[in-house]
Amino acid sequence: MTCALAGLAASLLAQNGFAQAADFPVIRKARPVTAIDWSGFYVGGHAGFGGGRSAATLFDPAPASGRHVFGGLIGGIQAGYNVRLPSGLLLGAEADVSFPNAIESNSFISKLATARSGITHQWDFIGTARARFGYAAGPWLAYATGGLAFTGDRYLNDLPSGDQEKKLDARFGWVAGAGIEYAFAPYWSARLEYLHYQFEGASVQFPSAAQYAATMNFQSIRVGLNRRLGGSVIGTGPTAEPPAGLESDRWEVHGQTVYLGQGYPSFRAPYSGPNSLSPAAQYQATWSNALFLNARVWDGGEVYYNPELLQGFGLSDTVGVAGFPSGEAQKSNFPYPRYNTSRLFVRQTFGFGGEQEDLATDPGQIAGKADISRLTLQAGKMAVIDLFDGNVYAKDTRTDFMNWSLWAPGAFDYAADRLGLTYGVTAELNQKQWALRGGYFLMNSQSNADSFDTQVFRRGEYVLELETRFSLFGQPGRLRSLGWLNSAFMGSYREALNDPANLDISRTRMGRIKYGYAFNVEQAVTDDIGLFGRWSWNDGKTEIMAFTDIDASLSLGASIKGTRWGRPEDTIGLGGAINALSRDHRDFIAAGGLSVLIGDGRLNYRRERILETYYAFALNRWVTLTADYQFITNPGYNADRGPVHVFSGRLRGEF
């Protein structure tokens, strides 16, 4: 993955193009520039590889020691200020913070165990505050850097009793390194940087009397992207030669940050199980920050890279309701931000000539003209529902409906890791009145896992969708008909029930087939009012692998723009969903079985019913504030629990 990031950065340096997203100015012609003004404030992000070594000792009371090597992908943010002198010398100051990726084991510094203790030492973040000294010549900058380093450590002690002791601490040290940076557009630059960190020793004592001590060093090599704030472009003139990289129709950068808080008052629940929604009142929040770096690298060829920082928790650790109230909770359960390469894929489009259409800019599409009759191929890391089951009114949990049953077909067990992503290849044939798309994706190795089954084509998910476009009473509409088949290492509900004394579905896992379908319709009523509906179903015989515990789902809703009351950028949404389980699935849960999201230990089965309404208030063209309410009846299909009133607030900023 680090090689892929470095390759993307090298492509960025080599290409002649860039476009800013949303309503920012778009440069369509190369500006004649002889030099870049490096002076001023800048902000940016970075991703790469980081790791190090640790020597640790556990006294409990006898000592146990070990040396450990750790590492993985990292990502983070930086900000700084530069002053470029007339001689070309550059003086600067920069602060940055990096985070481990979403794979939990990559944050482990060391693990030690004795008969009385089991210590896990993790890092939550690593940051610096440092000076930069360099020389800038035209669009190029080479520099050395050094200063203060700090890190946040987490120490967990698992006791034989089943209890856990936790300590949080911070350590300081020094950092030194060097880098090279290239200004590929007047206000944008890319960099490659190496840093070495050395930290002071850690010493922690737990209430159980266990003592832990450790040393640590760390190294990182990372690719970064910076945006200069304000300032000017110097050296312009009609005869000046432009540096490469100013044709903005070949590049786009989008960004967004989304804070989503949810809570509910206490509700009736005579009993609870391991996967129950807690009946006590609670509030939880998630926070995601994403960049979308899109490049047109050759004729018809595009590269898309989407790094994200993810933080927060879903209600009850994202269990207890099949139609879960927050789609952002798929990317949660992190106390500090975690880096994730959410999308990294190549797209190739072959136009067949004839009539063309304008493709609008968005995080998953570079703006431009394209033949309506075209074939598009895509390969890499992506989300299945990025390409399948589109719906203009109910699709994106960051902009419209939040409930899993409303922004996606609930019974579509689409291939995904725990963050909703997978690897695959797709093909789409587009015509004016219809589109046919298909794809193959890797399935996770077992239910709700982060690893994938790499028995390509023998195991995996196959998806086929036909989209038809029509007009009803002069307003556009679309119908999408989707079928899917999963070949995966799955357990059987019925076989697990054959041994009720040991109700463990993992003991029944073997290569099995699961299949289903979904119908998705959207219809504009006026320019400001739209309707949508989905019906989805799966065979319900084998365990859910990736999405949620729904075997049949019907959802309907409407979306209304605020033009009538003078708020054309505002949106009101109203939708409802009914979810159901198959006979085998409900019998398994009623017997005390646990599935991906549900399992109360008992079950008084009723269909799960959900009503959601929201108002999205556009504060300006970049920031939207949304108030959302969900009424959930029979959470987890259990009539003995609830109903639940979920109140949500969502703040979204984008560029």
Side-chain angles (χ1 to χ4, degrees):
M1 188 64 71
T2 304
C3 294
L5 297 175
L8 184 64
S11 174
L12 183 150
L13 297 178
Q15 291 301 316
N16 294 327
F18 175 77
Q20 289 175 251
D23 298 309
F24 281 65
V26 176
I27 306 168
R28 291 298 178 186
K29 293 184 64 179
R31 297 179 61 180
V33 179
T34 57
I36 297 296
D37 182 5
W38 288 94
S39 297
F41 289 100
Y42 62 89
V43 296
H46 61 264
F49 183 87
R53 297 176 180 272
S54 173
T57 303
L58 170 61
F59 299 92
D60 190 29
S65 61
R67 295 182 177 273
H68 307 270
V69 177
F70 62 96
L73 292 179
I74 62 172
I77 55 176
Q78 69 268 353
Y81 184 83
N82 291 326
V83 175
R84 182 184 182 274
L85 303 178
S87 63
L89 292 177
L90 181 137
L91 306 177
E94 180 173 301
D96 71 85
V97 60
S98 301
F99 304 97
N101 67 63
I103 300 175
E104 187 73 8
S105 60
N106 286 175
S107 68
F108 293 171
I109 296 174
S110 64
K111 299 187 78 170
L112 289 175
T114 66
R116 297 178 17 160
S117 297
I119 304 293
T120 300
H121 179 189
Q122 297 176 257
W123 69 279
D124 288 323
F125 58 85
I126 284 179
T128 71
R130 49 195 165 86
R132 295 209 304 170
F133 308 91
Y135 181 79
W140 290 95
L141 167 65
Y143 62 90
T145 183
L148 173 72
F150 56 90
T151 182
D153 292 305
R154 177 180 300 266
Y155 307 90
L156 304 175
N157 185 14
D158 293 313
L159 303 174
S161 64
D163 295 331
Q164 185 180 76
E165 300 174 321
K166 180 173 72 173
K167 292 276 190 177
L168 300 178
D169 198 10
R171 282 191 283 173
F172 295 90
W174 57 265
V175 61
I180 188 168
E181 194 162 345
Y182 178 74
F184 62 92
Y187 294 97
W188 292 87
S189 60
R191 67 161 63 159
L192 179 65
E193 183 176 63
Y194 166 80
L195 295 175
H196 175 86
Y197 312 70
Q198 188 71 47
F199 294 99
E200 63 188 11
S203 181
V204 178
Q205 181 162 347
F206 293 93
S208 62
Q211 293 181 313
Y212 174 84
T215 64
M216 186 179 84
N217 63 53
F218 193 84
Q219 299 181 74
S220 68
I221 183 166
R222 58 201 201 183
V223 176
L225 180 70
N226 287 330
R227 173 52 158 93
R228 190 161 58 87
L229 304 176
S232 61
V233 180
I234 64 174
T236 60
T239 61
E241 285 293 324
L246 298 183
E247 283 294 325
S248 63
D249 58 348
R250 299 183 68 87
W251 287 94
E252 290 184 359
V253 176
H254 299 254
Q256 63 178 237
T257 180
V258 179
Y259 180 88
L260 197 161
Q262 289 193 324
Y264 57 76
S266 60
F267 63 89
R268 178 183 63 89
Y271 54 88
S272 294
N275 281 0
S276 293
L277 194 68
S278 171
Q282 64 169 306
Y283 173 85
Q284 296 289 353
T286 58
W287 184 30
S288 63
N289 297 274
L291 277 178
F292 302 86
L293 310 178
N294 308 334
R296 184 175 285 118
V297 293
W298 60 77
D299 186 22
E302 299 164 350
V303 175
Y304 293 78
Y305 169 45
N306 168 214
E308 291 188 306
L309 293 177
L310 309 169
Q311 182 183 4
F313 295 88
L315 296 169
S316 291
D317 288 334
T318 317
V319 297
V321 187
F324 200 79
S326 171
E328 287 293 275
Q330 275 189 298
K331 302 181 176 184
S332 65
N333 286 8
F334 305 126
Y336 287 88
R338 292 295 184 93
Y339 166 78
N340 192 56
T341 301
S342 293
R343 291 162 184 83
L344 181 59
F345 59 83
V346 177
R347 179 183 294 161
Q348 177 67 49
T349 302
F350 300 95
F352 299 140
E355 186 179 354
Q356 292 190 319
E357 63 180 348
D358 291 317
L359 300 180
T361 179
D362 68 38
Q365 178 64 63
I366 298 177
K369 286 189 174 293
D371 295 344
I372 292 177
S373 179
R374 62 183 182 271
L375 174 65
T376 303
L377 307 178
Q378 185 167 305
K381 187 177 185 180
M382 66 194 83
V384 173
I385 56 173
D386 284 350
L387 292 93
F388 296 89
D389 187 64
N391 193 294
V392 71
Y393 306 117
K395 180 62 177 177
D396 188 351
T397 188
R398 293 174 173 177
T399 60
D400 48 65
F401 292 94
M402 302 177 186
N403 192 278
W404 293 19
S405 305
L406 289 166
W407 58 262
F412 181 17
D413 192 15
Y414 61 88
D417 61 13
R418 297 175 77 175
L419 300 182
L421 304 158
T422 186
Y423 297 86
V425 293
T426 67
E428 177 186 82
L429 177 61
N430 187 76
Q431 299 296 308
K432 191 166 188 175
Q433 300 300 326
W434 57 270
L436 180 65
R437 54 187 69 98
Y440 166 80
F441 304 94
L442 294 183
M443 288 294 298
N444 34 328
S445 57
Q446 62 184 42
S447 178
N448 202 31
D450 282 323
S451 58
F452 292 97
D453 193 326
T454 56
Q455 298 185 53
V456 178
F457 301 126
R458 179 184 175 189
R459 301 275 173 80
E461 178 172 74
Y462 297 86
V463 187
L464 186 66
E465 181 181 71
L466 174 64
E467 176 183 314
T468 55
R469 302 156 187 156
F470 53 85
S471 178
L472 185 62
F473 303 115
Q475 294 291 337
R478 300 190 184 204
L479 172 65
R480 299 173 180 89
S481 304
L482 181 150
W484 56 274
L485 182 146
N486 292 346
S487 175
F489 189 67
M490 299 181 276
S492 162
Y493 297 124
R494 187 54 56 188
E495 289 184 19
L497 284 164
N498 290 337
D499 185 10
N502 188 11
L503 196 64
D504 182 3
I505 199 168
S506 66
R507 300 178 63 199
T508 70
R509 286 173 180 160
M510 59 184 294
R512 300 180 189 272
I513 298 295
K514 188 184 192 75
Y515 57 89
Y517 61 81
F519 294 102
N520 172 335
V521 63
E522 63 181 65
Q523 176 62 54
V525 179
T526 69
D527 291 342
D528 297 316
I529 301 175
L531 305 176
F532 69 90
R534 286 185 175 95
W535 163 251
S536 57
W537 174 92
N538 68 61
D539 62 4
K541 297 179 180 179
T542 55
E543 65 180 325
I544 297 296
M545 291 295 291
F547 192 37
T548 188
D549 292 286
I550 299 175
D551 299 318
S553 179
L554 174 67
S555 63
L556 301 168
S559 177
I560 305 169
K561 289 290 185 182
T563 305
R564 293 283 299 272
W565 55 94
R567 300 283 308 173
E569 300 304 316
D570 292 2
T571 305
I572 290 179
L574 177 64
I578 300 175
N579 304 320
L581 294 180
S582 68
R583 171 60 66 181
D584 288 358
H585 198 163
R586 79 179 73 159
D587 288 348
F588 174 77
I589 298 298
L594 297 179
S595 196
V596 176
L597 265 73
I598 63 173
D600 297 326
R602 295 162 53 187
L603 182 66
N604 181 9
Y605 178 78
R606 297 290 189 279
R607 291 187 180 92
E608 192 177 79
R609 299 196 300 272
I610 296 163
L611 174 69
E612 179 177 2
T613 184
Y614 72 87
Y615 188 99
F617 181 82
L619 299 175
N620 54 43
R621 59 184 177 177
W622 302 293
V623 182
T624 302
L625 179 63
T626 302
D628 183 280
Y629 167 71
Q630 298 177 50
F631 179 69
I632 303 175
T633 304
N634 307 325
Y637 307 99
N638 198 337
D640 291 340
R641 303 172 60 81
V644 185
H645 303 268
V646 180
F647 299 89
S648 309
R650 178 178 60 202
L651 181 64
R652 179 177 185 260
E654 62 176 331
F655 69 86

